[in-house]
Amino acid sequence: MASSKTVRKLQVVSPVPADIDIANSVEPLHISEIAQELNLKPNHYDLYGKYKAKVLLSVLDELEGSADGYYVVVGGITPTPLGEGKSTTTVGLCQALGAFLDKKVVTCLRQPSQGPTFGIKGGAAGGGYSQVIPMDEFNLHLTGDIHAITAANNLLAAAIDTRIFHEASQSDKALFNRLCPPNKEGERSFSNIMFRRLKKLGISKTKPEDLTPEEINRFARLDIDPASITWRRVMDVNDRFLRKITIGQGPEEKGMVRETGFDISVASEIMAVLALTTSLADMRERLGKMVIGNSKAGDPITADDLGVGGALTVLMKDAINPTLMQTLEGTPVLVHAGPFANIAHGNSSIVADKIALKLVGPGGFVVTEAGFGADIGAEKFMNIKCRYSGLTPQCAVIVATIRALKMHGGGPQVVAGKPLDHAYLNENVALVEAGCVNLARHIANTKAYGANVVVAVNMFATDSKAELNAVRNAAMAAGAFDAVVCSHHAHGGKGAVDLGIAVQRACENVTQPLKFLYPLDVSIKEKIDTIARSYGASGVEYSEEVNASHFVPSILHGLSSASV
């Protein structure tokens, strides 16, 4: 049960102040108090200041035999430029469950990138009276996980170019001497990571001196095709002028110029690996199997081929532990990983969810958020994250707003930062009903996985009762378990109590097992076709370039064994 020690009753005011003003008006509890309410002992976590702590994976080992709580995922209708409030609803729902419905609850969120934080989108701590605090620490640096990803990613990038440089300028013998230098006694040996490469090459010999010249050539030369390299350097800030750069212009690089560029750190495949890993050993395997490009013969080259899989793991050894924080009303939050849904799977980590489900126990709730709309984030949550975690959600919440439904119904264009058209500020039931086609498709798609669907209508002051009723009627007609109007932005957990009750009922009344959209053993084109048809497409056509390309299969080789 929730404790009166940690639950904090908010003093809300109207109109709602700025998010940062609300966040700064509340003094966070010491994080040890939040940990204590989850029955975490001091040896279960490392403190990062007064308001953050890293929860250690050893907790999972200790609680291995205990039962899980209910598992809830929050998605949304197709996103609009102004956002629909998934993070705010996720936090508000948890505040309602913990502070008002006396349930044990943990919120599991992704760590925000500094790119959106310093851009027009802002952070990802929620909003209004449904936020994670301290807001500034949540949005800036946190406990350094993204910086660890940056360091590991760029180490691999440097190793790629360095290997190309050395292979272009040295003989097989010189390369082999660099890889297997003799010790003081003049003896050579293979490291564990080298045995991985030897096995991949089909070489069973265990002593360096036993390799033939041809085997030395195959072992020492990766022969990376520079044009095939997909691994780029990263940094956690929007710097558009680094999207395309040239490297290797120094005199010592002997004219080995290559055009490349930077991605944002959370776009690194290492971020996707972190979110999908289940243990330190599993992360080591996934990092080593990441594909960075092809050899000139067309064979995929991995991080382990470069010999840096172990080094990447060392840089990530602390980042694998989720960060414990709190909401405005003193309910616990686990923040971990932050892959984007348009290029990865858009969900927080498996290890955070697993730890949380053990900590809340039977009758408790773990609420996590899937990025983008339910057609991307929730689809990948089910088909990718749940497939690898083995976890089954009982309820899926779909967040909708009247404003967004009007847009989907054909309303005037909305541009962030510009005043809203009068159509979004005045009642127009017909426009709302037209947009509910989008909501209905999301409900049908999400129900197909077997979870009960609850629609959360994130209410704004300009929404009329008739418009709100139209959304509820459309949601119920589309097969939703329930549809609830929420005011958690303005009222905190109190404004999401009805949503909390609906979610509890939905979790207690699941009748179907989890069903995946596609099996893993079908072709990539079959998977793409299945997903596209679920969105409403009649089929998929491929250009001649795609059909003739070897790029997709080589990338899939990496994704199937590493991040996905």
PDB file of all heavy atoms in Angstrom, residues 483-509:
ATOM      1  N   ALA A 483     -13.700   4.697 -21.446  1.00  0.00           N
ATOM      2  CA  ALA A 483     -13.171   5.980 -21.908  1.00  0.00           C
ATOM      3  C   ALA A 483     -13.439   7.011 -20.825  1.00  0.00           C
ATOM      4  O   ALA A 483     -14.581   7.174 -20.392  1.00  0.00           O
ATOM      5  CB  ALA A 483     -13.819   6.398 -23.222  1.00  0.00           C
ATOM      6  N   VAL A 484     -12.398   7.703 -20.380  1.00  0.00           N
ATOM      7  CA  VAL A 484     -12.480   8.564 -19.196  1.00  0.00           C
ATOM      8  C   VAL A 484     -11.917   9.941 -19.506  1.00  0.00           C
ATOM      9  O   VAL A 484     -10.852  10.069 -20.123  1.00  0.00           O
ATOM     10  CB  VAL A 484     -11.687   7.939 -18.025  1.00  0.00           C
ATOM     11  CG1 VAL A 484     -11.811   8.800 -16.774  1.00  0.00           C
ATOM     12  CG2 VAL A 484     -12.157   6.516 -17.757  1.00  0.00           C
ATOM     13  N   VAL A 485     -12.627  10.978 -19.058  1.00  0.00           N
ATOM     14  CA  VAL A 485     -12.141  12.352 -19.179  1.00  0.00           C
ATOM     15  C   VAL A 485     -11.246  12.656 -17.987  1.00  0.00           C
ATOM     16  O   VAL A 485     -11.606  12.377 -16.835  1.00  0.00           O
ATOM     17  CB  VAL A 485     -13.318  13.347 -19.249  1.00  0.00           C
ATOM     18  CG1 VAL A 485     -12.792  14.779 -19.292  1.00  0.00           C
ATOM     19  CG2 VAL A 485     -14.186  13.050 -20.468  1.00  0.00           C
ATOM     20  N   CYS A 486     -10.061  13.230 -18.233  1.00  0.00           N
ATOM     21  CA  CYS A 486      -9.074  13.465 -17.185  1.00  0.00           C
ATOM     22  C   CYS A 486      -8.677  14.932 -17.117  1.00  0.00           C
ATOM     23  O   CYS A 486      -8.634  15.624 -18.136  1.00  0.00           O
ATOM     24  CB  CYS A 486      -7.809  12.647 -17.440  1.00  0.00           C
ATOM     25  SG  CYS A 486      -8.104  10.920 -17.830  1.00  0.00           S
ATOM     26  N   SER A 487      -8.340  15.392 -15.915  1.00  0.00           N
ATOM     27  CA  SER A 487      -7.865  16.770 -15.731  1.00  0.00           C
ATOM     28  C   SER A 487      -6.607  16.786 -14.870  1.00  0.00           C
ATOM     29  O   SER A 487      -6.420  17.672 -14.032  1.00  0.00           O
ATOM     30  CB  SER A 487      -8.965  17.630 -15.084  1.00  0.00           C
ATOM     31  OG  SER A 487      -9.322  17.114 -13.808  1.00  0.00           O
ATOM     32  N   HIS A 488      -5.732  15.801 -15.075  1.00  0.00           N
ATOM     33  CA  HIS A 488      -4.542  15.655 -14.237  1.00  0.00           C
ATOM     34  C   HIS A 488      -3.544  16.789 -14.434  1.00  0.00           C
ATOM     35  O   HIS A 488      -2.764  17.084 -13.536  1.00  0.00           O
ATOM     36  CB  HIS A 488      -3.862  14.311 -14.520  1.00  0.00           C
ATOM     37  CG  HIS A 488      -3.782  13.992 -15.979  1.00  0.00           C
ATOM     38  ND1 HIS A 488      -4.834  13.409 -16.662  1.00  0.00           N
ATOM     39  CD2 HIS A 488      -2.813  14.190 -16.892  1.00  0.00           C
ATOM     40  CE1 HIS A 488      -4.507  13.253 -17.923  1.00  0.00           C
ATOM     41  NE2 HIS A 488      -3.284  13.724 -18.096  1.00  0.00           N
ATOM     42  N   HIS A 489      -3.550  17.439 -15.601  1.00  0.00           N
ATOM     43  CA  HIS A 489      -2.648  18.570 -15.811  1.00  0.00           C
ATOM     44  C   HIS A 489      -2.987  19.704 -14.846  1.00  0.00           C
ATOM     45  O   HIS A 489      -2.092  20.344 -14.278  1.00  0.00           O
ATOM     46  CB  HIS A 489      -2.747  19.061 -17.255  1.00  0.00           C
ATOM     47  CG  HIS A 489      -1.819  20.193 -17.592  1.00  0.00           C
ATOM     48  ND1 HIS A 489      -2.158  21.521 -17.397  1.00  0.00           N
ATOM     49  CD2 HIS A 489      -0.543  20.196 -18.083  1.00  0.00           C
ATOM     50  CE1 HIS A 489      -1.143  22.288 -17.767  1.00  0.00           C
ATOM     51  NE2 HIS A 489      -0.165  21.515 -18.182  1.00  0.00           N
ATOM     52  N   ALA A 490      -4.273  19.927 -14.639  1.00  0.00           N
ATOM     53  CA  ALA A 490      -4.725  21.018 -13.765  1.00  0.00           C
ATOM     54  C   ALA A 490      -4.872  20.614 -12.307  1.00  0.00           C
ATOM     55  O   ALA A 490      -4.772  21.459 -11.415  1.00  0.00           O
ATOM     56  CB  ALA A 490      -6.065  21.561 -14.272  1.00  0.00           C
ATOM     57  N   HIS A 491      -5.083  19.313 -12.051  1.00  0.00           N
ATOM     58  CA  HIS A 491      -5.399  18.891 -10.690  1.00  0.00           C
ATOM     59  C   HIS A 491      -4.508  17.784 -10.146  1.00  0.00           C
ATOM     60  O   HIS A 491      -4.744  17.298  -9.033  1.00  0.00           O
ATOM     61  CB  HIS A 491      -6.862  18.439 -10.611  1.00  0.00           C
ATOM     62  CG  HIS A 491      -7.842  19.481 -11.047  1.00  0.00           C
ATOM     63  ND1 HIS A 491      -8.629  19.360 -12.174  1.00  0.00           N
ATOM     64  CD2 HIS A 491      -8.139  20.690 -10.511  1.00  0.00           C
ATOM     65  CE1 HIS A 491      -9.379  20.440 -12.313  1.00  0.00           C
ATOM     66  NE2 HIS A 491      -9.103  21.269 -11.318  1.00  0.00           N
ATOM     67  N   GLY A 492      -3.493  17.360 -10.900  1.00  0.00           N
ATOM     68  CA  GLY A 492      -2.643  16.285 -10.420  1.00  0.00           C
ATOM     69  C   GLY A 492      -3.379  14.959 -10.380  1.00  0.00           C
ATOM     70  O   GLY A 492      -4.315  14.707 -11.142  1.00  0.00           O
ATOM     71  N   GLY A 493      -2.968  14.088  -9.457  1.00  0.00           N
ATOM     72  CA  GLY A 493      -3.570  12.758  -9.370  1.00  0.00           C
ATOM     73  C   GLY A 493      -5.072  12.783  -9.160  1.00  0.00           C
ATOM     74  O   GLY A 493      -5.781  11.884  -9.631  1.00  0.00           O
ATOM     75  N   LYS A 494      -5.567  13.777  -8.471  1.00  0.00           N
ATOM     76  CA  LYS A 494      -7.014  13.879  -8.228  1.00  0.00           C
ATOM     77  C   LYS A 494      -7.786  13.930  -9.541  1.00  0.00           C
ATOM     78  O   LYS A 494      -8.903  13.411  -9.632  1.00  0.00           O
ATOM     79  CB  LYS A 494      -7.299  15.135  -7.399  1.00  0.00           C
ATOM     80  CG  LYS A 494      -8.750  15.305  -6.998  1.00  0.00           C
ATOM     81  CD  LYS A 494      -8.924  16.544  -6.124  1.00  0.00           C
ATOM     82  CE  LYS A 494     -10.390  16.715  -5.717  1.00  0.00           C
ATOM     83  NZ  LYS A 494     -10.570  17.918  -4.867  1.00  0.00           N
ATOM     84  N   GLY A 495      -7.176  14.543 -10.564  1.00  0.00           N
ATOM     85  CA  GLY A 495      -7.853  14.665 -11.852  1.00  0.00           C
ATOM     86  C   GLY A 495      -7.806  13.409 -12.690  1.00  0.00           C
ATOM     87  O   GLY A 495      -8.370  13.371 -13.795  1.00  0.00           O
ATOM     88  N   ALA A 496      -7.113  12.362 -12.208  1.00  0.00           N
ATOM     89  CA  ALA A 496      -7.020  11.105 -12.952  1.00  0.00           C
ATOM     90  C   ALA A 496      -7.531   9.925 -12.140  1.00  0.00           C
ATOM     91  O   ALA A 496      -7.281   8.771 -12.492  1.00  0.00           O
ATOM     92  CB  ALA A 496      -5.579  10.855 -13.374  1.00  0.00           C
ATOM     93  N   VAL A 497      -8.282  10.188 -11.077  1.00  0.00           N
ATOM     94  CA  VAL A 497      -8.801   9.101 -10.235  1.00  0.00           C
ATOM     95  C   VAL A 497      -9.720   8.181 -11.029  1.00  0.00           C
ATOM     96  O   VAL A 497      -9.630   6.946 -10.952  1.00  0.00           O
ATOM     97  CB  VAL A 497      -9.516   9.671  -8.996  1.00  0.00           C
ATOM     98  CG1 VAL A 497     -10.299   8.567  -8.277  1.00  0.00           C
ATOM     99  CG2 VAL A 497      -8.511  10.298  -8.035  1.00  0.00           C
ATOM    100  N   ASP A 498     -10.619   8.758 -11.812  1.00  0.00           N
ATOM    101  CA  ASP A 498     -11.531   7.926 -12.612  1.00  0.00           C
ATOM    102  C   ASP A 498     -10.747   7.069 -13.612  1.00  0.00           C
ATOM    103  O   ASP A 498     -11.106   5.915 -13.869  1.00  0.00           O
ATOM    104  CB  ASP A 498     -12.538   8.802 -13.364  1.00  0.00           C
ATOM    105  CG  ASP A 498     -13.572   9.426 -12.435  1.00  0.00           C
ATOM    106  OD1 ASP A 498     -13.702   8.955 -11.288  1.00  0.00           O
ATOM    107  OD2 ASP A 498     -14.237  10.396 -12.863  1.00  0.00           O
ATOM    108  N   LEU A 499      -9.687   7.631 -14.153  1.00  0.00           N
ATOM    109  CA  LEU A 499      -8.833   6.862 -15.059  1.00  0.00           C
ATOM    110  C   LEU A 499      -8.177   5.718 -14.302  1.00  0.00           C
ATOM    111  O   LEU A 499      -8.095   4.590 -14.812  1.00  0.00           O
ATOM    112  CB  LEU A 499      -7.770   7.773 -15.682  1.00  0.00           C
ATOM    113  CG  LEU A 499      -6.738   7.087 -16.593  1.00  0.00           C
ATOM    114  CD1 LEU A 499      -7.414   6.435 -17.780  1.00  0.00           C
ATOM    115  CD2 LEU A 499      -5.678   8.091 -17.067  1.00  0.00           C
ATOM    116  N   GLY A 500      -7.700   5.983 -13.088  1.00  0.00           N
ATOM    117  CA  GLY A 500      -7.077   4.939 -12.281  1.00  0.00           C
ATOM    118  C   GLY A 500      -8.034   3.796 -11.985  1.00  0.00           C
ATOM    119  O   GLY A 500      -7.660   2.613 -12.061  1.00  0.00           O
ATOM    120  N   ILE A 501      -9.275   4.146 -11.679  1.00  0.00           N
ATOM    121  CA  ILE A 501     -10.284   3.112 -11.403  1.00  0.00           C
ATOM    122  C   ILE A 501     -10.554   2.279 -12.656  1.00  0.00           C
ATOM    123  O   ILE A 501     -10.661   1.052 -12.604  1.00  0.00           O
ATOM    124  CB  ILE A 501     -11.585   3.770 -10.894  1.00  0.00           C
ATOM    125  CG1 ILE A 501     -11.329   4.402  -9.510  1.00  0.00           C
ATOM    126  CG2 ILE A 501     -12.720   2.754 -10.819  1.00  0.00           C
ATOM    127  CD1 ILE A 501     -12.476   5.268  -9.004  1.00  0.00           C
ATOM    128  N   ALA A 502     -10.662   2.967 -13.793  1.00  0.00           N
ATOM    129  CA  ALA A 502     -10.909   2.260 -15.060  1.00  0.00           C
ATOM    130  C   ALA A 502      -9.752   1.328 -15.405  1.00  0.00           C
ATOM    131  O   ALA A 502      -9.959   0.194 -15.860  1.00  0.00           O
ATOM    132  CB  ALA A 502     -11.132   3.272 -16.181  1.00  0.00           C
ATOM    133  N   VAL A 503      -8.517   1.787 -15.187  1.00  0.00           N
ATOM    134  CA  VAL A 503      -7.344   0.965 -15.473  1.00  0.00           C
ATOM    135  C   VAL A 503      -7.308  -0.257 -14.566  1.00  0.00           C
ATOM    136  O   VAL A 503      -7.005  -1.375 -15.009  1.00  0.00           O
ATOM    137  CB  VAL A 503      -6.056   1.799 -15.326  1.00  0.00           C
ATOM    138  CG1 VAL A 503      -4.817   0.903 -15.266  1.00  0.00           C
ATOM    139  CG2 VAL A 503      -5.937   2.791 -16.482  1.00  0.00           C
ATOM    140  N   GLN A 504      -7.637  -0.065 -13.292  1.00  0.00           N
ATOM    141  CA  GLN A 504      -7.666  -1.202 -12.370  1.00  0.00           C
ATOM    142  C   GLN A 504      -8.694  -2.241 -12.825  1.00  0.00           C
ATOM    143  O   GLN A 504      -8.409  -3.438 -12.872  1.00  0.00           O
ATOM    144  CB  GLN A 504      -7.989  -0.737 -10.948  1.00  0.00           C
ATOM    145  CG  GLN A 504      -8.017  -1.895  -9.951  1.00  0.00           C
ATOM    146  CD  GLN A 504      -8.299  -1.448  -8.520  1.00  0.00           C
ATOM    147  OE1 GLN A 504      -8.314  -0.247  -8.233  1.00  0.00           O
ATOM    148  NE2 GLN A 504      -8.519  -2.387  -7.638  1.00  0.00           N
ATOM    149  N   ARG A 505      -9.875  -1.790 -13.196  1.00  0.00           N
ATOM    150  CA  ARG A 505     -10.915  -2.705 -13.672  1.00  0.00           C
ATOM    151  C   ARG A 505     -10.472  -3.425 -14.936  1.00  0.00           C
ATOM    152  O   ARG A 505     -10.693  -4.634 -15.115  1.00  0.00           O
ATOM    153  CB  ARG A 505     -12.222  -1.947 -13.925  1.00  0.00           C
ATOM    154  CG  ARG A 505     -12.941  -1.489 -12.665  1.00  0.00           C
ATOM    155  CD  ARG A 505     -14.226  -0.738 -12.999  1.00  0.00           C
ATOM    156  NE  ARG A 505     -15.068  -1.464 -13.924  1.00  0.00           N
ATOM    157  CZ  ARG A 505     -15.355  -1.052 -15.173  1.00  0.00           C
ATOM    158  NH1 ARG A 505     -14.858   0.097 -15.629  1.00  0.00           N
ATOM    159  NH2 ARG A 505     -16.131  -1.779 -15.955  1.00  0.00           N
ATOM    160  N   ALA A 506      -9.811  -2.689 -15.828  1.00  0.00           N
ATOM    161  CA  ALA A 506      -9.342  -3.290 -17.075  1.00  0.00           C
ATOM    162  C   ALA A 506      -8.303  -4.376 -16.799  1.00  0.00           C
ATOM    163  O   ALA A 506      -8.307  -5.436 -17.439  1.00  0.00           O
ATOM    164  CB  ALA A 506      -8.756  -2.214 -17.988  1.00  0.00           C
ATOM    165  N   CYS A 507      -7.402  -4.122 -15.851  1.00  0.00           N
ATOM    166  CA  CYS A 507      -6.374  -5.104 -15.520  1.00  0.00           C
ATOM    167  C   CYS A 507      -6.976  -6.355 -14.886  1.00  0.00           C
ATOM    168  O   CYS A 507      -6.486  -7.478 -15.108  1.00  0.00           O
ATOM    169  CB  CYS A 507      -5.354  -4.495 -14.560  1.00  0.00           C
ATOM    170  SG  CYS A 507      -4.262  -3.267 -15.321  1.00  0.00           S
ATOM    171  N   GLU A 508      -8.013  -6.177 -14.114  1.00  0.00           N
ATOM    172  CA  GLU A 508      -8.630  -7.302 -13.403  1.00  0.00           C
ATOM    173  C   GLU A 508      -9.549  -8.128 -14.290  1.00  0.00           C
ATOM    174  O   GLU A 508     -10.017  -9.202 -13.880  1.00  0.00           O
ATOM    175  CB  GLU A 508      -9.424  -6.773 -12.200  1.00  0.00           C
ATOM    176  CG  GLU A 508      -8.547  -6.155 -11.117  1.00  0.00           C
ATOM    177  CD  GLU A 508      -9.340  -5.429 -10.047  1.00  0.00           C
ATOM    178  OE1 GLU A 508     -10.546  -5.152 -10.277  1.00  0.00           O
ATOM    179  OE2 GLU A 508      -8.764  -5.118  -8.995  1.00  0.00           O
ATOM    180  N   ASN A 509      -9.822  -7.652 -15.509  1.00  0.00           N
ATOM    181  CA  ASN A 509     -10.792  -8.329 -16.364  1.00  0.00           C
ATOM    182  C   ASN A 509     -10.226  -8.697 -17.735  1.00  0.00           C
ATOM    183  O   ASN A 509     -10.927  -8.668 -18.740  1.00  0.00           O
ATOM    184  CB  ASN A 509     -12.038  -7.449 -16.539  1.00  0.00           C
ATOM    185  CG  ASN A 509     -12.873  -7.364 -15.278  1.00  0.00           C
ATOM    186  OD1 ASN A 509     -13.669  -8.248 -14.987  1.00  0.00           O
ATOM    187  ND2 ASN A 509     -12.669  -6.299 -14.512  1.00  0.00           N
TER     188      ASN A 509
END
